[in-house]
Every structure is written in structure tokens, then in C-alpha cells.
Amino acid sequence: MTIAAGPFVIAAALLAIGGVLKAIKPGDTANALRGVGLPAGALLVRVGGVAEAAIGVWALVTADRAAAVLVALSYLAFTGFVVVALVRGAPIASCGCFGKADTPPSWVHVGVNLVAVVAAVVVAIDPGVGLGDLLADQPLAGVPFVLLTLTGLFLAFLALTLLPRTQTLVQTSLDGA
């Protein structure tokens, strides 16, 4: 088991959840992609969302080298998109990561994505931390690991959604004062 197991599980789960949500509701993601000049329609976003979900689930189940590489490449692509949106000052309210307008692009988002890339690269180098393997090696039937991973998943979700909105509100309030 690698030290990156927890962050990798969180990254894979976020990838799967985001993919499912984009497949269900592709509109905001398509708008975000068009906002930085990329061609995107609902069908393309849905197909991409299904691919993300499949990669995320595959990574959770097996954590083999190929799945870890695909997770890393996914997060590298997300990082590139967010950096382009931030540098260009693209007029987008959401990066569309979770299929709805609650994830404005931010430098925090870049940081979370880069942590996911590093975790996936570490797992690609030392694969074999699928959930079954991890839970089998954990004390107390894996309950503490699952609780900590769910907490990390929730905190990462908040960092990608609530924190950027809060930062915007605080900045707006300071600018108006």
C-alpha cells in the first residue's frame, strides 16, 4: 500500500462523481468549454462524462497502472483548462466540473487538481491500491479508512465549490467597502 492511497481514492471518486454529473447535466460544462474557445456540445460533454466516470470507477476498483495514468491525464487536462480560464479571465461562472454552476475556476482548483495528479502518478509507479486491496489491509475492517476518505472527499468538494464562491463574495465585499 502506498502513502498516496487515500488521496488517489479521493481523486478517483471525484472523477467518477464529476463524470456522472456531467453526463446527466452537460450544459454548464459545455458553456465553460466554449468560454475558453473549445468546441463543445451536450453530446460531447456527456460522452466525456461517461468516460470520466468509467475511469474513476476502474481506478477505484483496480488502481492498476493504466487506470492511474488515465486519472493523472484527466486531472492534467482539468488543470490546463482551469489555468487557461484563469489566465484569460474567461467570462465563465463555472468550470462545469460537477455539471452545474457551482464550481468557479480558481487557483485552489488548480492546487486540488495537481494533488490528484501527484497521487495518481505515485499510484502509477506503485499500483495495486484498489479499494478491495486497501480495505483488506486496514484495521477495523477498513471503517477508519473509509471515514477518512469520505471526509477528504467532502473537503475536496468544498474546496472546489464553496471556497471559490466564498472568496469571490469576500473580495466583492472588500472592493465595495
Side-chain angles (χ1 to χ4, degrees):
M1 176 171 38
T2 175
I3 194 164
F8 180 74
V9 168
I10 292 167
L14 277 176
L15 187 64
I17 292 166
V20 167
L21 294 174
K22 285 178 201 156
I24 292 169
K25 190 176 177 200
D28 287 319
T29 304
N31 288 338
L33 291 169
R34 284 192 296 271
V36 296
L38 296 172
L43 179 61
L44 181 63
V45 171
R46 280 194 167 102
V47 169
V50 169
E52 281 178 38
I55 292 167
V57 170
W58 175 23
L60 285 169
V61 172
T62 68
D64 65 15
R65 185 167 281 120
V69 167
L70 289 175
V71 169
L73 290 173
S74 297
Y75 278 99
L76 276 174
F78 300 153
T79 301
F81 169 79
V82 174
V83 167
V84 167
L86 289 168
V87 169
R88 287 186 184 172
I92 56 177
S94 172
C95 64
C97 292
F98 297 111
K100 58 183 188 167
D102 69 350
T103 50
S106 71
W107 290 107
V108 170
H109 198 141
V110 171
V112 170
N113 285 346
L114 291 176
V115 168
V117 170
V118 170
V121 167
V122 169
V123 171
I125 292 167
D126 182 19
V129 292
L131 277 179
D133 298 328
L134 280 172
L135 296 178
D137 290 341
Q138 295 294 316
L140 302 173
V143 172
F145 179 83
V146 169
L147 291 175
L148 286 170
T149 301
L150 289 174
T151 301
L153 182 62
F154 180 67
L155 291 173
F157 180 80
L158 289 178
L160 296 174
T161 59
L162 187 59
L163 183 59
R165 288 187 309 193
T166 303
Q167 288 174 319
T168 300
L169 287 173
V170 168
Q171 189 61 47
T172 302
S173 130
L174 291 175
D175 290 345

